[in-house]
Amino acid sequence: MPITTDVVVVGGGAVGAACARELARSRRSVLVLDVETERGQAWRAAAGMLAPQIEAVEEDALFELGLAGRELYGDLADYLRETTGIDIGLWREGIANVAMDDADVIRLKSKVAWQRQQGHLCDWLEAGEVRERWPWLAPSFGALWAPREGAVDPSKLVAALRADAVTNGARMVQDEVVALETDGDRVLSVTGRRDRYAADQVVLAAGAWTGQIAGLPRPVSVQPMRGQMVALPWPDRIKRAIIYNKDCYLLARGDEALAGSTREYVGFDSSVTSTGLGHILRAATRVCPPLASLEVKRTWAGLRPATPDGRPILGAEPRLQGLWYATGHGRNGILLSGISGVLLRMMIDGETPVQDLSAMRPERFWE
């Protein structure tokens, strides 16, 4: 006999854990199935950036959703600290995107202009202001400054989301899902390597591995995008900060400087390479010269779930009742995890989502 529950969530990373938490809080019985390996999982390799204003481009369909995702963390961090005792490391002291040449100035000033026209806090800092705030940076041509941006600690976030889900009745099981079982136009269960799990609703939040599950009603347009990362000591006597430029980002967490990241389509290869690490280190030391004299502490890589248009797949599978997608978040998995859980729960409850999700429709690639 299969294990039976209201909802099976396939994937226990940031997005899967957020979905499980929301669904468990709605008084459903929830089972989360996650693989045992740590290799390649996107959330384990993420920097945890909350930077929709830094990364967005004009007419970006994810911009408003990203802002909502960022703002949700203010209350969520406090709530999770109270219910689980876990501090997710929310840091909201702003991010600078530094211009290293005249082309950067044009691009970043344009971004400042359209964001300010929409009423968002975003400023342009002249080169002298950048030098005054961050005297340890290399000479720049100015910077975009987004004072509400920040970051969380991804490992602590996932731990807290899982813990709160369990507190609300969810169960966590280590098993790799290999197939869906269906009957006509309805999903019946998922099959793992260890057991079979029946459910009224199945949420696919398996990241880059979502499309590897057999029995899907259509190919899932998600593929792994490798992101390599480097950790160095954070230089002494330098105040913590998060700095972007066109070639890399630099983030202070604890006593480390996290630098990244590459964007490589190499299948499910999560190894690090001398070429990728060299690119990151050159870019990081170019923007922050004090890093050049420090030794690398550790390196790693993760496989982000990328879609052809760079937008998540979030919502119901129209060909199969009871099947839901919460995958394809790419570089925005941490930023959008909390809001994705809320929106998915609303859709399963039959509520109208507070955000326009038309750009994330699962069927958009196959119409």
Side-chain angles (χ1 to χ4, degrees):
M1 291 291 293
I3 298 171
T4 302
T5 188
D6 292 337
V7 185
V8 165
V9 178
V10 182
V15 174
C19 291
R21 172 183 177 270
E22 283 290 325
L23 292 166
R25 280 163 51 85
S26 67
R27 300 184 182 278
R28 291 176 169 88
S29 59
V30 177
L31 180 67
V32 182
L33 300 174
D34 198 35
V35 295
E36 296 181 21
T37 181
E38 297 183 1
R39 186 172 178 82
Q41 292 179 319
W43 67 270
R44 296 183 186 276
M49 221 76 69
L50 307 178
Q53 290 183 255
I54 293 292
E55 298 198 339
V57 295
E58 197 166 359
E59 306 300 328
D60 189 339
L62 289 183
F63 183 50
E64 294 297 331
L65 186 64
L67 292 174
R70 183 191 71 191
E71 294 307 307
L72 179 121
Y73 275 107
D75 291 335
L76 182 61
D78 291 338
Y79 182 88
L80 292 174
R81 187 185 301 109
E82 291 177 6
T83 59
T84 71
I86 300 173
D87 184 343
I88 66 172
L90 177 63
W91 186 84
R92 291 283 298 273
E93 297 182 29
I95 300 179
N97 194 339
V98 178
M100 304 303 288
D101 53 36
D102 289 328
D104 285 348
V105 172
I106 295 172
R107 175 176 58 84
L108 293 175
K109 280 189 172 181
S110 174
K111 183 178 287 194
V112 170
W114 69 258
Q115 291 194 21
R116 294 187 68 169
Q117 287 169 2
Q118 295 183 51
H120 301 299
L121 287 174
C122 191
D123 293 311
W124 176 256
L125 304 179
E126 297 295 344
E129 295 176 277
V130 174
R131 185 167 56 252
E132 182 177 352
R133 292 191 185 205
W134 304 283
W136 42 273
L137 289 178
S140 75
F141 285 62
L144 178 155
W145 171 241
R148 294 189 63 82
E149 306 275 72
V152 296
D153 185 320
S155 62
K156 293 180 179 178
L157 171 66
V158 172
L161 291 172
R162 288 178 175 180
D164 199 48
V166 170
T167 296
N168 284 280
R171 291 178 293 158
M172 305 288 300
V173 174
Q174 289 190 329
D175 198 355
E176 180 182 359
V177 171
V178 295
L180 293 179
E181 181 183 349
T182 61
D183 181 14
D185 64 352
R186 168 159 286 282
V187 65
L188 293 181
S189 65
V190 299
T191 301
R193 297 196 181 277
R194 295 181 175 178
D195 215 328
R196 179 168 162 260
Y197 309 88
D200 295 327
Q201 313 282 344
V202 173
V203 178
L204 298 183
W209 289 266
T210 303
Q212 303 295 300
I213 298 171
L216 293 170
R218 72 177 83 222
V220 178
S221 299
V222 176
Q223 61 177 317
M225 177 175 65
R226 183 171 68 189
Q228 300 185 51
M229 297 278 291
V230 177
L232 303 99
W234 186 257
D236 292 336
R237 295 181 296 279
I238 290 180
K239 186 179 179 181
R240 62 181 296 179
I242 304 177
I243 303 294
Y244 268 68
N245 73 3
K246 61 186 176 184
D247 296 317
C248 73
Y249 58 76
L250 188 66
L251 175 148
R253 175 166 294 133
D255 61 355
E256 290 186 332
L258 308 185
S261 170
T262 60
R263 304 183 189 186
E264 307 165 86
Y265 293 96
V266 293
F268 288 92
D269 180 1
S270 60
S271 59
V272 296
T273 67
S274 57
T275 300
L277 298 177
H279 168 78
I280 295 169
L281 287 169
R282 285 191 297 273
T285 55
R286 188 160 55 242
V287 72
C288 178
L291 293 177
S293 61
L294 302 176
E295 292 188 7
V296 171
K297 294 179 64 175
R298 56 195 177 96
T299 62
W300 66 99
L303 301 175
R304 306 185 188 99
T307 62
D309 59 11
R311 302 194 296 266
I313 301 173
L314 187 64
E317 166 54 66
R319 295 182 181 177
L320 198 60
Q321 294 181 51
L323 182 63
W324 301 83
Y325 298 98
T327 188
H329 290 71
R331 291 165 54 87
N332 295 302
I334 300 300
L335 171 66
L336 298 179
S337 59
I339 194 69
S340 293
V342 172
L343 294 170
L344 188 80
R345 191 269 307 156
M346 292 180 71
M347 287 187 281
I348 290 178
D349 281 345
E351 301 176 21
T352 301
V354 293
Q355 299 287 330
D356 178 9
L357 301 182
S358 58
M360 275 72 79
R361 292 176 301 118
E363 66 270 27
R364 68 187 184 271
F365 298 117
W366 300 98
E367 294 178 323

